[in-house]
Structure formats: structure tokens, C-alpha cells
Amino acid sequence: MNVHLLSIGDELLIGQTINTNAAWMGKKLTEDGWRVSRVVILSDDPETIRRELDDALSIADAVLLTGGLGPTKDDLTKHVLADYFGTELVMHQDIADKIKAWFESRNVPFHEVNRLQAMLPRDCTVLPNPLGTASGMWFERPSGQVVVSMPGVPYEMEGLMMSEVLPRLRSHFKLPTTLYETIVTAGIGESSLAALVSDWESALPSKGVSLAYLPSPGQVKVRIGVQGPAEDRKSLAHLLEAEAQAFVDLAYDHVIGRGDSGLPEAVLNMLKKRGETLCTAESCTGGQIAAMLTAVPGASASMWGGVVAYDNRVKQDLLGVSAENLAKHGAVSECVVKAMARGARMRLGTDWALATSGVAGPSGGTAAKPVGLVWMAVAGPEGEMAWCHRFGSQRERIVQRASRRILTHLHEAMRQGPRRVG
């Protein structure tokens, strides 16, 4: 079954807003057995919307639209859909009453323009939106094709998808069972990982198993998938688990987690299992490592705190880095980054500490220490370890890759080293 996603809004076209809706919808629809064959971003223009609907319905079984359902005059989606399906807009008083109650519950003035959001096509199934004021709309064609319109506000769209749209799509269409398992690896590039599992991968098509590599800075996710009739779900699940385990066995040294978890989750889970704690001392990464860790719910069980030691005086006064080493070797050096990690571990009283110091650019590089060079260290119960990496020349990418790489080093150190006793 093919589905097309139409994202409406000039703010998407000019880059003012990132189209996160399509990514979220694509993931959920794929998990339900749909093939998302096209994603289109289009302006809030009647002719453009009609043209894209014609094009989509010439191919797709379902078309999902987001955006253009607000209370202002530039929100035209429901007007276009009413005209497209040969119906008219009528007042849905029950929806108007709910919208008014929604505003009153938040002590926000209710205006007539808000009531107009209850003007909806007569010949559609209205999908209630408890999270906002823009209702969803479900249209069916004689051919069995479906067109669904939803608000563009992400959490409202997600609520409608989960409570109304996905269940209705499952009921309306007979979909195959599609199962996926995602395995997260770190410390190995995509091509090297592919070479490591080459023989196993070559045998997958004959088993009806798909494989996709999803690289990002510092890690590679591998998505293994199976698809078949709904009644075969149990056997498909067994096949998927067997192939996922086969991959884990082959790439064990680089596997850090499964599912949606990434490096921060993997590090924090291992710290929690070991009963150990962590802190950070960051220079060039500017707090990015701490931010990645504390973004994970429950991080406070293991992540105690951090220091952004951007200036050398902070490195000296808070972390105990010697002025002599700073003068002789510079802030971007092995001895300094080890001292930063050691000092943070001692000052914050944790089992482990991470430290980074590098040249993030775009200026400040030299022949000896070019932009992209980063020293990083892990301090633990058995001392400090340090590494030097080169991460290109783009500042944001340098920070991102360095933050991920040091978490990889910590994960490897904990996996290979002894567990704390006591």
C-alpha cells in the first residue's frame, strides 16, 4: 500500500520551520506496513494543493495532508478540500462548543475567527482534536482511496494520528505485517561495518529480510526488517530476532544498544547497572556532552554534573590544570585534557569523568593544531586515557562528532574494564 504525505506551508518551503511531521509520520506508517512513496512540501495555494492531490491520487492508496488548518485567512486547506470533493463548508456546532470550551479552560479570549474553525466540509468524517482547535478531516473516494487532513502543529498531528488516523487506516486497508529491529553501533564507519557483516548480509534477501544502514556522526544504526501476511506475525518475529541476534554476534564489539536508544542512553544504562557515576569537563564541546546525557530521562541517577572550562583560567582554578603545562603544551594537548578529566573526577567525586579540548574553528587553527583537532580523555578508577582525533573543518560537526566519540570511548572503557566493587 502506497501513501503520499503532503506538507502544506510556506514556512516549510523557506526553511523557517523544519518538516519534522513527515519524518514522524513516515516512521509510524512504515511500522504499520505502509510504503511511504513520496513526501511533498507545498505552498498554501489552492491550485498547488489541487494539482498535488491529483498527482498523489493517481498513484497512492492514501494521501495524508498536514497544515493550513489555522483560523487565519491564509489557511486554505479545508476550503480547497471542500471544493475538491464537491461539498460545502457547514457549521459543526458540537465542534464550535468544544473549541470555545478549549479557550475558556485556558483563560484565553474566544473570538469569532476561532468559531470559524468549526466550519468544516459537510461530506467528511470529522476527526476530533482534543489537543487543539483544528479538527482533522477524513475523506473516502468511491475507489477506496483515502485523503486525510490534519493540523500542522506536531503534537496535535501526532495525537490525531495515534488516536484516529492510524486505527482507521488499519481498519480500512488490509496491511501486511511489517516488523523492524534497529541496532545501534558506534566506533566503526558504515563501510567497515558493512565489510564486517558482508557474508551475513548477502544471505538476507533469500530469507525475505531487508537491511538498511543509517549513519550519523559518531554512530551507525542498522535497521533490519521483515514483512509478510498478518497471520504470519509470530514466525516473522522469530525470524527478525534471529537475524538481529546474528548481527549483534558479528558486530558485538561495536554494538551499543537496540531500538531508539543511542550513545547517551547506552552510557547511562551501563553506568546505572554498574552503580557508577559520571561528570564532564568540556572546552571545545561547550557543554554538548552534558546536554546529550541530561536530555535522557533518569540521567540524574548517574550524571552528577559538569564544568564548561572554555577559558584557561577555569581549567586552572576549577580543574587543577597546571599553568606550566598550559604554557608549554597549550590547552589542546594530551597532558591538559588528562588533567581536566582527573580534576573534574576529583572535584565532583564521580567514578568517571570525560574531558575535551580542541580547535572547533573556523579560526584559531595552526599547522601543528589545525581546525578539527580534538584531544579527549576519560578518567576512571584505573587512571586516565586520552585520544587525539580530527573531525573536519565545520564547527558544528566537530562539536557533534567529538561529543559522540568520547561517549564511545567511555562505553568501551566500561565494557572492557573491571566493575567497581563495594
Side-chain angles (χ1 to χ4, degrees), residues 160-407:
L160 272 174
M161 282 285 289
M162 297 302 292
S163 65
E164 295 284 345
V165 179
L166 289 175
R168 289 174 181 273
L169 288 173
R170 294 185 196 116
S171 176
H172 188 78
F173 296 96
K174 185 173 182 178
L175 297 169
T177 292
T178 304
L179 303 175
Y180 288 103
E181 177 69 56
T182 301
I183 302 169
V184 187
T185 69
I188 185 172
E190 179 183 4
S191 58
S192 297
L193 183 61
L196 182 65
V197 300
S198 176
D199 291 342
W200 167 80
E201 182 178 354
S202 297
L204 294 181
S206 63
K207 302 177 184 179
V209 180
S210 64
L211 181 69
Y213 294 91
L214 311 171
S216 60
Q219 67 180 33
V220 178
K221 291 184 178 181
V222 174
R223 187 184 68 229
I224 305 170
V226 293
Q227 188 176 81
E231 58 269 21
D232 292 346
R233 186 179 185 88
K234 188 174 181 179
S235 60
L236 288 168
H238 285 310
L239 173 61
L240 178 61
E241 176 56 32
E243 295 305 328
Q245 188 58 53
F247 175 86
V248 170
D249 292 342
L250 290 169
Y252 176 78
D253 290 340
H254 308 286
V255 173
I256 62 167
R258 294 173 71 161
D260 292 330
S261 66
L263 270 169
E265 291 87 353
V267 165
L268 290 167
N269 285 338
M270 186 171 288
L271 285 166
K272 187 175 182 180
K273 289 178 181 178
R274 295 167 62 97
E276 295 176 342
T277 56
L278 172 69
C279 68
T280 59
E282 303 182 57
S283 184
C284 65
T285 50
Q288 178 66 29
I289 302 166
M292 292 168 62
L293 292 165
T294 56
V296 179
S300 59
S302 303
M303 174 59 183
W304 277 19
V307 176
V308 178
Y310 222 60
D311 188 87
N312 283 348
R313 287 169 294 185
V314 180
K315 294 179 177 70
Q316 288 180 239
D317 297 343
L318 288 183
L319 300 177
V321 178
S322 73
E324 180 182 355
N325 279 340
L326 283 166
K328 183 177 181 179
H329 301 286
V332 183
S333 61
E334 180 178 2
C335 62
V336 167
V337 80
K338 281 185 174 180
M340 289 172 63
R342 181 170 57 250
R345 181 170 179 259
M346 293 176 62
R347 290 296 295 268
L348 276 74
T350 57
D351 300 290
W352 297 89
L354 308 179
T356 59
S357 186
V359 187
S363 60
T366 65
K369 297 179 181 180
V371 171
L373 185 143
V374 178
W375 273 100
M376 55 185 64
V378 172
E382 297 186 331
E384 300 87 40
M385 299 170 285
W387 301 264
C388 184
H389 297 289
R390 291 282 299 275
F391 295 119
S393 58
Q394 296 180 344
R395 184 179 181 86
E396 184 178 350
R397 189 169 175 83
I398 292 167
V399 171
Q400 188 179 41
R401 292 182 67 188
S403 300
R404 289 187 177 277
R405 180 60 64 87
I406 195 169
L407 290 177

